[in-house]
Amino acid sequence: MLEAIVIFLVNTIGRLGYVGITALMFLESSFFPFPSEVVLPPAGFLAAEGKMSLPVVIFCGVAGSLLGAIFNYYLALKLGRYFLIKYGKYFFISEKSLNKAENFFKKHGAVSTFVGRLLPGIRQYISLPAGIARMRLDLFSLYTSLGAGIWVVVLALLGYYIGNNRERLQETLHSISVALFFLCVTIIAIYVLWYRSKAKKLKDTR
């Protein structure tokens, strides 16, 4: 089954080219959590065979991720708060807790967006609190592109250097995912220390 999916994606990307990569990554980053792990490695493999350009593959992957994230951002911006206030009680979400979440994201939206783009299961949905909190679109786009860019480069290079060896690809991807998780933990720890130090300095100057 997996082999058939990979073959289908390689053929699809081969036919649609860079537009196909952008479209599939748009889906992966928006309302339809299509796994990027089965999109970019085949594209990287095609680049290794000389049928595509690796830099353009990476650019299209990042562009599709950003467009999908912006779609979710505006969806949350227009409908998110209204929906959660009206139906949040059924999910144990009160307006008070929503306000707290918004305030948290307004203070820490940049690092939350960047780190969230590196974590599986979160990267597709980190745009929603950003939209609800009305995070500045330029900052949201910047940190989304940075986080998505790291993931896209990793997947494209795996396909480029490992190719169709799915077992080795999965093993390497697992190791990289673990490394990225610990990288995120480190980034969060450094950010917390920096933020507390900044808050302490502000308090001492008053």
Side-chain angles (χ1 to χ4, degrees), residues 8 44 46 49 54 74 101 104 132 135 140 167 173 186 188:
F8 169 76
L46 290 174
E49 290 192 325
L54 184 62
Y74 274 108
F104 173 86
I132 292 173
M135 181 180 177
F140 172 77
E167 185 175 340
L173 185 58
T186 302
I188 292 172

Side-chain angles (χ1 to χ4, degrees), residues 65-204:
S65 296
L66 178 59
L67 291 173
I70 290 176
F71 177 88
N72 271 7
Y73 173 93
Y74 274 108
L75 191 67
L77 180 67
K78 300 298 183 182
L79 303 175
R81 184 174 178 82
Y82 167 79
F83 178 85
L84 288 176
I85 289 177
K86 187 172 183 179
Y87 300 105
K89 59 185 178 182
Y90 300 111
F91 304 97
F92 307 103
I93 300 174
S94 64
E95 186 171 359
K96 184 179 179 180
S97 63
L98 178 61
N99 289 335
K100 287 182 178 179
E102 286 182 14
N103 290 332
F104 173 86
F105 211 88
K106 285 176 181 177
K107 292 179 181 177
H108 314 292
V111 69
S112 298
T113 299
F114 175 72
V115 170
R117 293 299 310 186
L118 296 174
L119 296 173
I122 296 178
R123 67 173 60 97
Q124 293 92 347
Y125 306 110
I126 194 66
S127 309
L128 300 177
I132 292 173
R134 298 179 180 273
M135 181 180 177
R136 279 175 48 187
L137 184 59
D138 58 341
L139 290 178
F140 172 77
S141 299
L142 172 63
Y143 287 102
T144 294
S145 298
L146 289 175
I150 292 174
W151 186 241
V152 167
V153 168
V154 166
L155 293 179
L157 290 180
L158 283 179
Y160 188 87
Y161 288 109
I162 297 178
N164 272 341
N165 190 332
R166 289 184 297 279
E167 185 175 340
R168 188 181 169 199
L169 186 66
Q170 288 297 324
E171 291 176 358
T172 307
L173 185 58
H174 174 73
S175 299
I176 291 175
S177 296
V178 172
L180 285 176
F181 172 78
F182 283 108
L183 173 63
C184 291
V185 171
T186 302
I187 291 172
I188 292 172
I190 293 173
Y191 177 80
V192 169
L193 291 174
W194 171 81
Y195 187 82
R196 287 180 177 177
S197 175
K198 180 182 176 183
K200 187 176 183 300
K201 286 180 181 178
L202 288 174
K203 184 178 180 181
D204 291 341

Side-chain angles (χ1 to χ4, degrees), residues 1-12:
M1 180 65 179
L2 180 59
E3 183 177 358
I5 293 174
V6 171
I7 293 173
F8 169 76
L9 286 171
V10 170
N11 292 335
T12 299

